[in-house]
Amino acid sequence: LSTLPPIPPPGFRVFITWYPEDHEFEPQSLWLRIVTLQSTLAGQSKNAPITEVIKDLLEIIPGMIRIEPAVQNQATFGVMVWSLQDVGRQIVERYPIPQRTPTLTSTVLAGGLLMGRILILRPRRPPPPPSKAATSKREAAFNMDAKSPVTAIERRVNANEGAETCSEDTRLVIYYHFTRQPLVPGQVFTTFLRANTFCSDHGNQESDVSMTAISPGNHVRIHLEGQDAPFTNQLTWRMARLALKTIWQTIVMGFRPRLGRPVIQPRWESLTFVLFYDGARVGEGWLDNTGSFEAPTQESNRRPGVEESQDSKSMEHLPLPREVAAPGPSPVPYVCKQAYDGGPFLTYPSRLEDPGIPTTEEILISTDFAWLVRISRSNLEAFLQTWLFFGLLKEVLGDLFDSSQYVIHTKPQQQRRSLSVFLSWLSNESRLEVNTGKLLPTLRTWMKQVEDSAISPSEKQIRNGHIRPCLLMASTILQAVAYSNRSDLNPLITSSIASLCELVEQATNQLYGTDDNGYTGAWRLSYRQPQNAFQMRENGFCPYQIHRIQNLISTLSTYHYLKWMKTDVPSTRHEYCTESACLANQITPGRYVTKHRHKGCGCTDFLVDIQEVIRILSRGSLPLLHIKPRADLKDLCVDVLEATSSLKYVALSHIWADGLGNPYSNALPRCQLRFLSQLISPLLSMPEVPVNDQGTYLWIDTLCCPVEPPEAKRISLSLMKVPYTEASHVLVLDSSLRDVDTSGLDPIEICIRIFTSGWMRRLWTLQEGALPQNLVFQFKDTALDLRRLWIEAAKIGESDIGKRAIVLDITVLYQGLRHFFHAEKGDKSVDLESVDHALEFRSVSVLSDEPLLIGGLMNLDISHILNGSMETRMHRLWSLINSAPGGIPKNLLFSRGARLRQPGFRWAPASLLAPKGGRDGNLRSRDADNQGYLTPAGLRVRLAACTIQMASAPKGLPRNPWNMSGNTDDNSIFCRSSSGSWFLIYGKYHGSQEGNEAGEQMSLRGSLRNASRSHTLLLPEAFKFDGSPETRSGLLVHGDGEQDGISKVASDLIVEVGIKVGTTQTLYEAAFQASRLLLADEITARYTELAIEDERTQKDHPAYATLEAQLAEKLFALAENIDDPQILAAIKANNTRGTKTFFPVLTASVYIGDYCELGSMMPGDTEWCVD
């Protein structure tokens, strides 16, 4: 659109006729149509006439946009682009989102003349399917036996391959190949916009093109790069722009005049392409989903001793589920440009003597890893693979290492839809791939050699101490790559390196008897790419579940396993779920429907004898159901009995979203009761459970917890721990597990499916899984005990080094569920830290149930929590926790999330189900110094602190001279301490609020600018000021009087405080000193003499313009006169705009007082009363 005039042509008007009886268009779909059509038209010459009707043929969205030019006055492409813009504006004004838009007709005028019409038509009905006898020319082209006149070139074009010549430079030809992977249209459009913007930032003649653009949704990307080897014609950024324009208009949008009529036929599919200029190949690239990337081959000649294969399974050392989801793991390309030299691992970069690659010493002292950005994609990938993959293998395996065992030669397969296939089609080349099929046997041989050598414990420690620095180096590099925004790198290469490092770490832990998993975060981080989450979403995982996995799973192996694990859950079930909430399992009040066993079942509901249930509960006992199945459902007999110590029963744990609940009455369909009886009968006949002569006995909340009256319901809630504690078995029913046949599955996959089920994400199921002695999960073919499964999985991890990492995750998840009341050793009391960790990523439909469950897990008095309104249950819970083991941890003050509003409790989280991650320090408060004490006025704690206030500046200074403020974010600000140290503070959450009600949250700067309050920053511990970067969570508070001689403060905002070191500290202190010179200058005195504080009055005063010009001259003079090499280096390191622009901006911000001043640090034993 930048090629169009900045304003519409003179006399431009668009008049719209609406047809409100036809509300047919969903707003997002309509806007996608308008924007894509507008973008395509803008690609043509703005003055070129439109001679024929243009139809928008986006067949994936119902309806059509039709542009009809006037006969007597030919409309141009430029006029119609502006017409579409104005149509969109009027639609939004009349039918704001999310209202649906009716069909319409718009008349376009320009210069008083009729230019044409734009019609948004009624959605068309899909055309009838073609008859079987009909065979198109394209279908005939695919039929090799058909006697068709189609030539070989035409057949290739019809088979999704072809070539397009750039209309603006005919020497540029793009050969393309559609790989038939569907793409999201809006994501494709924004990806091309980003790519074009990126290209426009470079000069026309610049070469060394390499760029990747990713859509805002992280689902679609386009990559384009020039050739590494020297050619006659190098790919320039001008060529890249022309190529992108041609690909978008002609290949993707299919916009071309056919028979004199412009037609748009978009094709939203992935494609690969190669660029030729003057007959020479100059570049290549692809457009695809972020999960389907494969790098082009770097070597075309077959290497001696390298195994040849028709199909590569690539990273075979990583465990996979029994049935792998399509399309399966992609092969890892072999991109090394030279073999590893066999020398010591740590000194490899120094031996390269490559000016583009730093030495080992430079890598170790580097803090910004700027060298990662400077190296080209192909060189960086080759360097990382050679060093961190093959070099680490050599370092660990020694003489057992043979590089040829890990490289295979594959022939291109037609079914593999990737860039390499298309390149092979052009050059008939094959490719080299990394394969680890022989890694595990070789690693086991190495481990056996070490074990058989009978080395001493000290020698084991020395050998382990040699491998650990290698893993530390690899983890440092991989983390730097992950944070360097090198989106052009092939994620398969970094992931394969990380998976090898994780395997080596697990092998050395087992071999040398250590338990050091300190680098697992780096290995997992290398696998947290958007395409992996996208693949899991395609497999049926909920976005909330994916977010949970990313935060709870610690190893790459488990992440890889889950990425390729198929589920029977349709992706549409979680269509409206987000990362913060799973809506599929939430219960909507008033809309719940209890399900029958099968669709179409017409059996009646069984209504329990609720009066008998209430009588049993009133005696403090537990009601049970005695089910006596009969052949005829009408004769089904269910009695209510009082539980005794000799009566063995099964308690049911289920998700109400699966249909076994009933919020209206204590009733269930008879078919469900007979089915439940059939499930629990085998459990009660297990060898360790005595057989009941009386039949099967069941406890289920739907029938045994009265819906009403309220008093009976409160009694049942206070006894909720009893049925799960005293049951012989607790049987878990989850719809996602009941569809899984476990025959042929190993214990690892069964455990993984359990821990990723919907049951594991609900709040009440935490207690139901933690309490029982025997926790059993029902699958399609059988019921399995969780503890036995975990034991069997642990045995596999001990014997199979390749599965040790995934078993580590299973063990953590198992212990997180079962350790509350079944700890094997040590202190079995439960404190808030354990509960808080277990509640992470769990949800509940009734929010007032949360304090009941927390109280149950911590063995608190549930009757006290129930004694009052549901709105104040959380208040009573915190009062009980105050006297519980561990008490209230003071670090709870720094947790993100809503707060209670009652005075004295405004410090307290309204819920512990909020996402974690904003707390500094743990919640273990057994030490008195880490504990807070509840008082009527708030929470009494000992914390470090310092005063904080906006910097003072002379009256009359301009608020923002020349719009040069260095920080425009209202929720962050730089601060300077009295000792000259600089900090950056980010606002996280308004601590005194409950919820996110619009208009109530105050920004960080807004809070600090409130001059009527004296602000203090509370910190978990004081900063060390030892020259290293430090980050703390903090709580911004303001004074609220005194309580028993202790400062009483009220919460304002949760913040994050980071001390700045190195170049940032040097830069801001230099700007501060420069601003002091300006404040002492006579120009500041003149500002003070005018004493005009109102910003609007300043702009109208003639003297201010003169003063601002003089101030600008002073600022830029200060910047130009900087000769301190440390300051110059700091400016260059922190901003690419250079000294002439960046430093004056920063100095101006400090000059006008756009920063905070911190007082001296108060010690950590300072007492506060926080509300």
mmCIF file of all heavy atoms in Angstrom, residues 16-19 22 24-25 30-31 33-34 56 62-67 84 87-88 91 101-106 117-123:
data_model
loop_
_atom_site.group_PDB
_atom_site.id
_atom_site.type_symbol
_atom_site.label_atom_id
_atom_site.label_comp_id
_atom_site.label_asym_id
_atom_site.label_seq_id
_atom_site.Cartn_x
_atom_site.Cartn_y
_atom_site.Cartn_z
ATOM 1 N N ILE A 16 -23.058 3.369 0.281
ATOM 2 C CA ILE A 16 -23.383 1.962 0.499
ATOM 3 C C ILE A 16 -24.881 1.791 0.701
ATOM 4 O O ILE A 16 -25.514 2.561 1.438
ATOM 5 C CB ILE A 16 -22.624 1.395 1.719
ATOM 6 C CG1 ILE A 16 -21.105 1.421 1.457
ATOM 7 C CG2 ILE A 16 -23.066 -0.036 2.029
ATOM 8 C CD1 ILE A 16 -20.287 0.854 2.593
ATOM 9 N N THR A 17 -25.416 0.802 0.042
ATOM 10 C CA THR A 17 -26.790 0.362 0.268
ATOM 11 C C THR A 17 -26.744 -0.953 1.021
ATOM 12 O O THR A 17 -26.137 -1.920 0.550
ATOM 13 C CB THR A 17 -27.541 0.176 -1.064
ATOM 14 O OG1 THR A 17 -27.522 1.409 -1.796
ATOM 15 C CG2 THR A 17 -28.986 -0.248 -0.800
ATOM 16 N N TRP A 18 -27.388 -0.975 2.212
ATOM 17 C CA TRP A 18 -27.341 -2.149 3.063
ATOM 18 C C TRP A 18 -28.585 -3.003 2.868
ATOM 19 O O TRP A 18 -29.662 -2.500 2.568
ATOM 20 C CB TRP A 18 -27.239 -1.757 4.545
ATOM 21 C CG TRP A 18 -26.149 -0.770 4.843
ATOM 22 C CD1 TRP A 18 -26.242 0.587 4.854
ATOM 23 C CD2 TRP A 18 -24.797 -1.068 5.158
ATOM 24 N NE1 TRP A 18 -25.044 1.158 5.160
ATOM 25 C CE2 TRP A 18 -24.123 0.161 5.357
ATOM 26 C CE3 TRP A 18 -24.062 -2.248 5.307
ATOM 27 C CZ2 TRP A 18 -22.785 0.254 5.690
ATOM 28 C CZ3 TRP A 18 -22.735 -2.160 5.644
ATOM 29 C CH2 TRP A 18 -22.096 -0.937 5.825
ATOM 30 N N TYR A 19 -28.426 -4.292 3.074
ATOM 31 C CA TYR A 19 -29.552 -5.217 3.025
ATOM 32 C C TYR A 19 -29.610 -5.951 4.378
ATOM 33 O O TYR A 19 -29.153 -7.099 4.511
ATOM 34 C CB TYR A 19 -29.396 -6.205 1.870
ATOM 35 C CG TYR A 19 -29.279 -5.502 0.533
ATOM 36 C CD1 TYR A 19 -28.033 -5.259 -0.054
ATOM 37 C CD2 TYR A 19 -30.427 -5.053 -0.129
ATOM 38 C CE1 TYR A 19 -27.941 -4.602 -1.260
ATOM 39 C CE2 TYR A 19 -30.325 -4.398 -1.341
ATOM 40 C CZ TYR A 19 -29.082 -4.165 -1.906
ATOM 41 O OH TYR A 19 -28.988 -3.510 -3.114
ATOM 42 N N ASP A 22 -30.272 -9.714 5.523
ATOM 43 C CA ASP A 22 -29.336 -10.809 5.237
ATOM 44 C C ASP A 22 -28.071 -10.648 6.060
ATOM 45 O O ASP A 22 -27.050 -10.192 5.565
ATOM 46 C CB ASP A 22 -28.983 -10.844 3.747
ATOM 47 C CG ASP A 22 -30.171 -11.171 2.877
ATOM 48 O OD1 ASP A 22 -31.022 -11.974 3.324
ATOM 49 O OD2 ASP A 22 -30.259 -10.623 1.781
ATOM 50 N N GLU A 24 -25.221 -12.168 7.036
ATOM 51 C CA GLU A 24 -24.625 -13.417 6.578
ATOM 52 C C GLU A 24 -23.139 -13.546 6.894
ATOM 53 O O GLU A 24 -22.611 -14.636 6.859
ATOM 54 C CB GLU A 24 -24.810 -13.561 5.053
ATOM 55 C CG GLU A 24 -26.250 -13.701 4.613
ATOM 56 C CD GLU A 24 -26.827 -15.052 4.938
ATOM 57 O OE1 GLU A 24 -26.078 -15.911 5.439
ATOM 58 O OE2 GLU A 24 -28.023 -15.261 4.709
ATOM 59 N N PHE A 25 -22.437 -12.449 7.155
ATOM 60 C CA PHE A 25 -20.985 -12.512 7.179
ATOM 61 C C PHE A 25 -20.440 -12.388 8.595
ATOM 62 O O PHE A 25 -20.788 -11.467 9.334
ATOM 63 C CB PHE A 25 -20.380 -11.407 6.308
ATOM 64 C CG PHE A 25 -20.683 -11.557 4.857
ATOM 65 C CD1 PHE A 25 -21.669 -10.792 4.260
ATOM 66 C CD2 PHE A 25 -20.006 -12.480 4.093
ATOM 67 C CE1 PHE A 25 -21.962 -10.942 2.931
ATOM 68 C CE2 PHE A 25 -20.288 -12.631 2.756
ATOM 69 C CZ PHE A 25 -21.276 -11.860 2.167
ATOM 70 N N LEU A 30 -14.946 -11.678 6.826
ATOM 71 C CA LEU A 30 -15.137 -10.597 5.861
ATOM 72 C C LEU A 30 -13.914 -9.709 5.784
ATOM 73 O O LEU A 30 -13.477 -9.306 4.707
ATOM 74 C CB LEU A 30 -16.371 -9.778 6.261
ATOM 75 C CG LEU A 30 -16.711 -8.610 5.320
ATOM 76 C CD1 LEU A 30 -16.945 -9.110 3.912
ATOM 77 C CD2 LEU A 30 -17.932 -7.868 5.833
ATOM 78 N N TRP A 31 -13.323 -9.409 6.941
ATOM 79 C CA TRP A 31 -12.129 -8.558 6.917
ATOM 80 C C TRP A 31 -10.955 -9.256 6.240
ATOM 81 O O TRP A 31 -10.149 -8.612 5.568
ATOM 82 C CB TRP A 31 -11.756 -8.144 8.343
ATOM 83 C CG TRP A 31 -12.407 -6.857 8.692
ATOM 84 C CD1 TRP A 31 -13.510 -6.670 9.443
ATOM 85 C CD2 TRP A 31 -11.998 -5.561 8.242
ATOM 86 N NE1 TRP A 31 -13.837 -5.344 9.511
ATOM 87 C CE2 TRP A 31 -12.922 -4.631 8.770
ATOM 88 C CE3 TRP A 31 -10.978 -5.089 7.446
ATOM 89 C CZ2 TRP A 31 -12.840 -3.272 8.542
ATOM 90 C CZ3 TRP A 31 -10.893 -3.732 7.216
ATOM 91 C CH2 TRP A 31 -11.808 -2.835 7.753
ATOM 92 N N ARG A 33 -11.230 -11.213 3.741
ATOM 93 C CA ARG A 33 -11.513 -11.054 2.306
ATOM 94 C C ARG A 33 -11.097 -9.670 1.833
ATOM 95 O O ARG A 33 -10.421 -9.523 0.812
ATOM 96 C CB ARG A 33 -13.019 -11.230 2.051
ATOM 97 C CG ARG A 33 -13.494 -12.658 2.051
ATOM 98 C CD ARG A 33 -14.986 -12.673 1.743
ATOM 99 N NE ARG A 33 -15.413 -14.011 1.447
ATOM 100 C CZ ARG A 33 -15.239 -14.593 0.268
ATOM 101 N NH1 ARG A 33 -14.667 -13.946 -0.691
ATOM 102 N NH2 ARG A 33 -15.638 -15.836 0.068
ATOM 103 N N ILE A 34 -11.519 -8.652 2.583
ATOM 104 C CA ILE A 34 -11.251 -7.282 2.145
ATOM 105 C C ILE A 34 -9.752 -7.011 2.093
ATOM 106 O O ILE A 34 -9.224 -6.451 1.124
ATOM 107 C CB ILE A 34 -11.962 -6.287 3.086
ATOM 108 C CG1 ILE A 34 -13.487 -6.407 2.921
ATOM 109 C CG2 ILE A 34 -11.512 -4.863 2.818
ATOM 110 C CD1 ILE A 34 -14.277 -5.547 3.883
ATOM 111 N N ASP A 56 -13.648 -12.063 -6.260
ATOM 112 C CA ASP A 56 -12.854 -12.642 -5.175
ATOM 113 C C ASP A 56 -13.334 -14.067 -4.968
ATOM 114 O O ASP A 56 -14.482 -14.291 -4.578
ATOM 115 C CB ASP A 56 -13.040 -11.808 -3.903
ATOM 116 C CG ASP A 56 -12.562 -12.534 -2.671
ATOM 117 O OD1 ASP A 56 -11.642 -13.345 -2.799
ATOM 118 O OD2 ASP A 56 -13.115 -12.272 -1.587
ATOM 119 N N PRO A 62 -17.467 -18.548 2.855
ATOM 120 C CA PRO A 62 -18.693 -18.339 2.082
ATOM 121 C C PRO A 62 -18.827 -16.895 1.629
ATOM 122 O O PRO A 62 -18.443 -15.958 2.331
ATOM 123 C CB PRO A 62 -19.808 -18.718 3.060
ATOM 124 C CG PRO A 62 -19.149 -19.547 4.101
ATOM 125 C CD PRO A 62 -17.758 -19.051 4.197
ATOM 126 N N GLY A 63 -19.411 -16.708 0.439
ATOM 127 C CA GLY A 63 -19.664 -15.374 -0.061
ATOM 128 C C GLY A 63 -18.644 -14.944 -1.094
ATOM 129 O O GLY A 63 -17.743 -15.698 -1.480
ATOM 130 N N MET A 64 -18.785 -13.684 -1.565
ATOM 131 C CA MET A 64 -17.888 -13.215 -2.616
ATOM 132 C C MET A 64 -17.890 -11.693 -2.619
ATOM 133 O O MET A 64 -18.904 -11.048 -2.328
ATOM 134 C CB MET A 64 -18.348 -13.745 -3.979
ATOM 135 C CG MET A 64 -17.502 -13.271 -5.150
ATOM 136 S SD MET A 64 -18.028 -13.991 -6.718
ATOM 137 C CE MET A 64 -19.615 -13.221 -6.914
ATOM 138 N N ILE A 65 -16.749 -11.102 -2.917
ATOM 139 C CA ILE A 65 -16.637 -9.672 -3.186
ATOM 140 C C ILE A 65 -16.469 -9.509 -4.695
ATOM 141 O O ILE A 65 -15.612 -10.162 -5.306
ATOM 142 C CB ILE A 65 -15.460 -9.036 -2.431
ATOM 143 C CG1 ILE A 65 -15.647 -9.197 -0.919
ATOM 144 C CG2 ILE A 65 -15.330 -7.566 -2.783
ATOM 145 C CD1 ILE A 65 -14.515 -8.617 -0.104
ATOM 146 N N ARG A 66 -17.272 -8.644 -5.271
ATOM 147 C CA ARG A 66 -17.272 -8.474 -6.725
ATOM 148 C C ARG A 66 -17.043 -6.998 -7.032
ATOM 149 O O ARG A 66 -17.731 -6.124 -6.502
ATOM 150 C CB ARG A 66 -18.611 -8.940 -7.295
ATOM 151 C CG ARG A 66 -18.777 -8.806 -8.804
ATOM 152 C CD ARG A 66 -20.197 -9.215 -9.191
ATOM 153 N NE ARG A 66 -20.466 -9.041 -10.604
ATOM 154 C CZ ARG A 66 -20.370 -10.017 -11.495
ATOM 155 N NH1 ARG A 66 -20.037 -11.236 -11.104
ATOM 156 N NH2 ARG A 66 -20.638 -9.799 -12.771
ATOM 157 N N ILE A 67 -16.060 -6.708 -7.865
ATOM 158 C CA ILE A 67 -15.746 -5.334 -8.281
ATOM 159 C C ILE A 67 -16.185 -5.167 -9.733
ATOM 160 O O ILE A 67 -15.703 -5.875 -10.625
ATOM 161 C CB ILE A 67 -14.248 -5.023 -8.129
ATOM 162 C CG1 ILE A 67 -13.839 -5.128 -6.652
ATOM 163 C CG2 ILE A 67 -13.917 -3.647 -8.673
ATOM 164 C CD1 ILE A 67 -12.361 -4.899 -6.423
ATOM 165 N N LEU A 84 -12.190 -0.131 -1.262
ATOM 166 C CA LEU A 84 -12.268 -1.228 -0.298
ATOM 167 C C LEU A 84 -11.952 -0.736 1.107
ATOM 168 O O LEU A 84 -12.559 -1.176 2.093
ATOM 169 C CB LEU A 84 -11.306 -2.348 -0.693
ATOM 170 C CG LEU A 84 -11.713 -3.199 -1.893
ATOM 171 C CD1 LEU A 84 -10.545 -4.068 -2.346
ATOM 172 C CD2 LEU A 84 -12.911 -4.080 -1.549
ATOM 173 N N VAL A 87 -15.055 1.075 2.340
ATOM 174 C CA VAL A 87 -16.122 0.118 2.627
ATOM 175 C C VAL A 87 -15.880 -0.533 3.988
ATOM 176 O O VAL A 87 -16.796 -0.671 4.809
ATOM 177 C CB VAL A 87 -16.206 -0.949 1.510
ATOM 178 C CG1 VAL A 87 -17.085 -2.109 1.952
ATOM 179 C CG2 VAL A 87 -16.746 -0.340 0.231
ATOM 180 N N GLY A 88 -14.643 -0.937 4.242
ATOM 181 C CA GLY A 88 -14.326 -1.522 5.542
ATOM 182 C C GLY A 88 -14.571 -0.557 6.685
ATOM 183 O O GLY A 88 -15.076 -0.940 7.746
ATOM 184 N N ILE A 91 -18.284 -0.301 7.329
ATOM 185 C CA ILE A 91 -18.805 -1.533 7.945
ATOM 186 C C ILE A 91 -18.574 -1.510 9.446
ATOM 187 O O ILE A 91 -19.459 -1.828 10.245
ATOM 188 C CB ILE A 91 -18.149 -2.769 7.303
ATOM 189 C CG1 ILE A 91 -18.684 -2.978 5.881
ATOM 190 C CG2 ILE A 91 -18.406 -4.008 8.144
ATOM 191 C CD1 ILE A 91 -17.995 -4.110 5.141
ATOM 192 N N THR A 101 -22.219 -8.841 9.496
ATOM 193 C CA THR A 101 -22.421 -7.824 8.462
ATOM 194 C C THR A 101 -23.352 -8.354 7.377
ATOM 195 O O THR A 101 -23.177 -9.483 6.917
ATOM 196 C CB THR A 101 -21.073 -7.431 7.846
ATOM 197 O OG1 THR A 101 -20.191 -7.012 8.889
ATOM 198 C CG2 THR A 101 -21.246 -6.293 6.856
ATOM 199 N N PRO A 102 -24.328 -7.534 6.955
ATOM 200 C CA PRO A 102 -25.212 -7.999 5.882
ATOM 201 C C PRO A 102 -24.571 -7.830 4.510
ATOM 202 O O PRO A 102 -23.500 -7.229 4.373
ATOM 203 C CB PRO A 102 -26.432 -7.086 6.030
ATOM 204 C CG PRO A 102 -25.849 -5.809 6.548
ATOM 205 C CD PRO A 102 -24.718 -6.214 7.466
ATOM 206 N N THR A 103 -25.229 -8.356 3.516
ATOM 207 C CA THR A 103 -24.801 -8.103 2.137
ATOM 208 C C THR A 103 -24.998 -6.627 1.838
ATOM 209 O O THR A 103 -25.810 -5.941 2.453
ATOM 210 C CB THR A 103 -25.604 -8.955 1.156
ATOM 211 O OG1 THR A 103 -26.997 -8.682 1.354
ATOM 212 C CG2 THR A 103 -25.362 -10.429 1.388
ATOM 213 N N LEU A 104 -24.229 -6.126 0.861
ATOM 214 C CA LEU A 104 -24.288 -4.697 0.564
ATOM 215 C C LEU A 104 -23.873 -4.440 -0.873
ATOM 216 O O LEU A 104 -23.220 -5.261 -1.526
ATOM 217 C CB LEU A 104 -23.395 -3.911 1.525
ATOM 218 C CG LEU A 104 -21.892 -4.223 1.536
ATOM 219 C CD1 LEU A 104 -21.123 -3.367 0.529
ATOM 220 C CD2 LEU A 104 -21.309 -4.012 2.929
ATOM 221 N N THR A 105 -24.252 -3.264 -1.347
ATOM 222 C CA THR A 105 -23.806 -2.754 -2.646
ATOM 223 C C THR A 105 -23.281 -1.350 -2.437
ATOM 224 O O THR A 105 -23.950 -0.525 -1.806
ATOM 225 C CB THR A 105 -24.963 -2.736 -3.657
ATOM 226 O OG1 THR A 105 -25.454 -4.055 -3.832
ATOM 227 C CG2 THR A 105 -24.483 -2.198 -4.998
ATOM 228 N N SER A 106 -22.057 -1.076 -2.926
ATOM 229 C CA SER A 106 -21.464 0.249 -2.760
ATOM 230 C C SER A 106 -21.201 0.866 -4.125
ATOM 231 O O SER A 106 -20.787 0.176 -5.068
ATOM 232 C CB SER A 106 -20.163 0.166 -1.966
ATOM 233 O OG SER A 106 -19.235 -0.653 -2.632
ATOM 234 N N ARG A 117 -18.817 -0.207 -8.988
ATOM 235 C CA ARG A 117 -19.507 -0.697 -7.814
ATOM 236 C C ARG A 117 -18.680 -1.816 -7.164
ATOM 237 O O ARG A 117 -17.937 -2.530 -7.839
ATOM 238 C CB ARG A 117 -20.892 -1.255 -8.172
ATOM 239 C CG ARG A 117 -21.846 -0.232 -8.731
ATOM 240 C CD ARG A 117 -23.257 -0.801 -8.786
ATOM 241 N NE ARG A 117 -23.329 -2.075 -9.490
ATOM 242 C CZ ARG A 117 -24.352 -2.911 -9.421
ATOM 243 N NH1 ARG A 117 -25.402 -2.598 -8.650
ATOM 244 N NH2 ARG A 117 -24.377 -4.047 -10.086
ATOM 245 N N ILE A 118 -18.863 -1.911 -5.832
ATOM 246 C CA ILE A 118 -18.293 -3.043 -5.079
ATOM 247 C C ILE A 118 -19.461 -3.741 -4.397
ATOM 248 O O ILE A 118 -20.219 -3.121 -3.650
ATOM 249 C CB ILE A 118 -17.269 -2.581 -4.035
ATOM 250 C CG1 ILE A 118 -16.076 -1.905 -4.716
ATOM 251 C CG2 ILE A 118 -16.786 -3.760 -3.184
ATOM 252 C CD1 ILE A 118 -15.049 -1.367 -3.750
ATOM 253 N N LEU A 119 -19.604 -5.025 -4.657
ATOM 254 C CA LEU A 119 -20.695 -5.800 -4.098
ATOM 255 C C LEU A 119 -20.146 -6.872 -3.166
ATOM 256 O O LEU A 119 -19.196 -7.569 -3.521
ATOM 257 C CB LEU A 119 -21.525 -6.478 -5.205
ATOM 258 C CG LEU A 119 -22.266 -5.567 -6.194
ATOM 259 C CD1 LEU A 119 -21.340 -5.148 -7.332
ATOM 260 C CD2 LEU A 119 -23.489 -6.289 -6.757
ATOM 261 N N ILE A 120 -20.719 -6.963 -1.978
ATOM 262 C CA ILE A 120 -20.437 -8.076 -1.073
ATOM 263 C C ILE A 120 -21.689 -8.934 -1.063
ATOM 264 O O ILE A 120 -22.724 -8.551 -0.512
ATOM 265 C CB ILE A 120 -20.079 -7.583 0.341
ATOM 266 C CG1 ILE A 120 -18.834 -6.685 0.274
ATOM 267 C CG2 ILE A 120 -19.837 -8.755 1.280
ATOM 268 C CD1 ILE A 120 -18.367 -6.178 1.609
ATOM 269 N N LEU A 121 -21.602 -10.074 -1.714
ATOM 270 C CA LEU A 121 -22.770 -10.858 -2.074
ATOM 271 C C LEU A 121 -23.084 -11.923 -1.053
ATOM 272 O O LEU A 121 -22.246 -12.315 -0.247
ATOM 273 C CB LEU A 121 -22.564 -11.496 -3.454
ATOM 274 C CG LEU A 121 -22.253 -10.505 -4.602
ATOM 275 C CD1 LEU A 121 -22.025 -11.277 -5.875
ATOM 276 C CD2 LEU A 121 -23.376 -9.513 -4.777
ATOM 277 N N ARG A 122 -24.313 -12.400 -1.144
ATOM 278 C CA ARG A 122 -24.812 -13.468 -0.294
ATOM 279 C C ARG A 122 -23.939 -14.711 -0.464
ATOM 280 O O ARG A 122 -23.509 -15.030 -1.575
ATOM 281 C CB ARG A 122 -26.247 -13.796 -0.680
ATOM 282 C CG ARG A 122 -26.895 -14.893 0.142
ATOM 283 C CD ARG A 122 -28.194 -15.323 -0.536
ATOM 284 N NE ARG A 122 -29.046 -14.196 -0.792
ATOM 285 C CZ ARG A 122 -29.951 -13.740 0.079
ATOM 286 N NH1 ARG A 122 -30.078 -14.350 1.231
ATOM 287 N NH2 ARG A 122 -30.705 -12.710 -0.211
ATOM 288 N N PRO A 123 -23.637 -15.437 0.611
ATOM 289 C CA PRO A 123 -22.856 -16.677 0.482
ATOM 290 C C PRO A 123 -23.523 -17.652 -0.475
ATOM 291 O O PRO A 123 -24.727 -17.860 -0.439
ATOM 292 C CB PRO A 123 -22.833 -17.234 1.908
ATOM 293 C CG PRO A 123 -23.051 -16.049 2.773
ATOM 294 C CD PRO A 123 -23.943 -15.137 2.008
#
